Amino acid sequence: MKKIIILFALLPLMGFSQNLFDKGNKEVEKDPTELNITENVQGTLWLPDGESNPPLVIMLTGSGPNDRDGNSVMTKNDSHKQLALALKKEGIATYRYDKRVVTQMKKKKVDPNTSFDDFITDARDVVAYFEKDKRFSKIYIAGHSQGSLVGMLAINKNIDGFISLAGAGEVIDNVIVSQIAAQSPGLDTIARTTFDKMRAQEEIVEDVNPYLMQLQGPQMQPFMESWMAYDPAIEIAKLKTPVLIINGDRDFQVSIEQAKMLHTAAPSSQLEIIEGLNHVLKKVGSDDIEAAKSYTDVNFPIHPVLIEKMVAFIKE
């Protein structure tokens, strides 16, 4: 079961023959919370009731073709939607948006040349938009998984705080190799060799193990190389803003050791390891099979301690 979950979490870009996000061509009334900032950034702005100048959290989703709610074509858990609702109840505004590839899929125009840098561009466009909006007292970025690194690279002097949710603490190729080693000893050595070749040569690596094609195949290498170019430990050390690092002891994709790496790189940061928190921000028990259901079952609740720690950091 863990192997399936890791594949869900790590696939950076997937080419689908059909648009599984498409809800048809029916005319629907425009949602008043819909806010499209650019052609690539289409999202939802939730404002808390009765708050004149609330803080705003810009939410960045993780790796894979994820939408603003935290769902993909293979998973539906509403993690980001549930988190946004919980923050709204605490008087905190949120903006969450579909990843660029999801927007492309909805338009049935997927760009195979989409890179990690495009995600950074989109996040910076969101920051530029809201730093001019006087409705908000403060602006925070909360980046989940891959979005943690994207968030670090999008921060400027107008951002009041950064929250890393299940963010890696080292370059992504090291993270992937460690995950493979935990599940398929021996295959990790092959993956490491391929990543090293990708770093050392300009041309595409053609000799890729069949079991690693979804991560290291020729069509994936340009994206992976653009992602591998950034080291989260180096980037978080550059930040001048307050930082909250959160991870869970039931996260099978990004271990608590990764969170500790980030904290070591940014020693003034606040580190919170939450018991029972998994990678999709849900509260789960010790049963692995039951915990895996949280990826595809919206009835699993967002971990209450996660909400508590985020709210305290934002309102302090």
Side-chain angles (χ1 to χ4, degrees):
M1 184 62 67
K2 290 183 187 178
K3 184 176 294 186
I4 295 173
I5 293 174
I6 287 176
L7 284 177
F8 284 174
L10 291 179
L11 290 179
L13 183 64
M14 302 179 69
F16 293 95
S17 60
Q18 57 182 322
N19 185 354
L20 299 182
F21 285 100
D22 188 15
K23 294 181 173 57
N25 297 319
K26 296 180 180 179
E27 290 292 330
V28 294
E29 184 177 350
K30 181 176 173 60
D31 185 340
T33 67
E34 181 87 7
L35 177 59
N36 299 335
I37 292 176
T38 70
E39 65 176 358
N40 293 307
V41 178
Q42 301 184 1
T44 297
L45 175 65
W46 275 359
L47 301 173
D49 299 328
E51 299 286 340
S52 57
N53 287 103
L56 170 72
V57 176
I58 298 169
M59 299 172 61
L60 308 179
T61 190
S63 56
N66 297 321
D67 67 12
R68 69 193 73 182
D69 293 337
N71 302 324
S72 74
V73 295
M74 294 182 292
T75 64
K76 181 175 173 59
N77 51 67
D78 279 355
S79 56
H80 286 226
K81 183 178 182 179
Q82 292 175 355
L83 178 56
L85 179 59
L87 294 176
K88 183 175 184 287
K89 291 178 178 178
E90 294 290 341
I92 298 170
T94 58
Y95 182 72
R96 63 191 198 279
Y97 61 96
D98 299 334
K99 286 183 72 173
R100 176 184 292 227
V101 65
V102 173
T103 300
Q104 293 172 354
M105 289 165 67
K106 288 180 176 179
K107 296 178 179 179
K108 300 182 180 179
K109 294 181 180 180
V110 176
D111 181 359
N113 298 314
T114 297
S115 72
F116 184 83
D117 292 307
D118 291 324
F119 299 155
I120 300 170
T121 295
D122 293 341
R124 287 174 175 170
D125 285 342
V126 174
V127 169
Y129 179 90
F130 282 111
E131 65 188 3
K132 300 173 184 177
D133 195 324
K134 304 304 182 183
R135 289 177 293 176
F136 306 106
S137 57
K138 293 183 178 181
I139 301 177
Y140 295 81
I141 291 179
H144 175 236
S145 190
Q146 183 191 76
S148 172
L149 178 55
V150 173
M152 295 176 203
L153 294 160
I155 288 175
N156 64 24
K157 61 183 178 62
N158 295 312
I159 298 299
D160 296 283
F162 172 65
I163 303 171
S164 173
L165 302 172
E170 58 184 333
V171 287
I172 191 58
D173 49 318
N174 288 353
V175 176
I176 293 173
V177 169
S178 295
Q179 291 181 343
I180 295 173
Q183 299 177 76
S184 302
L187 190 59
D188 59 308
T189 303
I190 298 172
R192 178 72 274 165
T193 298
T194 302
F195 278 131
D196 290 345
K197 288 180 179 178
M198 288 166 58
R199 286 185 176 277
Q201 63 188 51
E202 293 184 4
E203 63 270 18
I204 293 294
V205 178
E206 298 291 347
D207 183 19
V208 178
N209 186 286
Y211 290 103
L212 298 171
M213 289 298 289
Q214 289 182 311
L215 292 170
Q216 297 181 322
Q219 77 283 5
M220 299 303 304
Q221 290 177 31
F223 180 93
M224 291 303 299
E225 289 177 354
S226 69
W227 191 357
M228 289 159 55
Y230 299 99
D231 186 334
I234 292 175
E235 299 306 327
I236 201 169
K238 298 176 183 177
L239 302 184
K240 307 298 183 182
T241 185
V243 175
L244 170 63
I245 300 168
I246 294 178
N247 212 317
D249 67 356
R250 293 290 290 155
D251 189 330
F252 293 128
Q253 283 84 270
V254 181
S255 68
I256 59 177
E257 284 71 26
Q258 296 290 325
K260 292 176 181 178
M261 289 180 193
L262 289 177
H263 182 55
T264 298
S268 63
S269 63
Q270 177 183 339
L271 174 63
E272 299 289 347
I273 305 299
I274 300 176
E275 182 179 355
L277 177 71
N278 75 352
H279 191 69
V280 290
L281 313 179
K282 301 301 183 77
K283 182 177 182 179
V284 297
S286 58
D287 186 322
D288 288 353
I289 295 178
E290 184 67 17
K293 294 178 182 177
S294 67
Y295 283 74
T296 55
D297 186 346
V298 299
N299 294 313
F300 278 76
I302 287 290
H303 203 302
V305 177
L306 167 66
I307 300 165
E308 174 189 322
K309 298 298 183 182
M310 288 184 66
V311 171
F313 177 75
I314 293 165
K315 291 190 173 182
E316 69 180 7

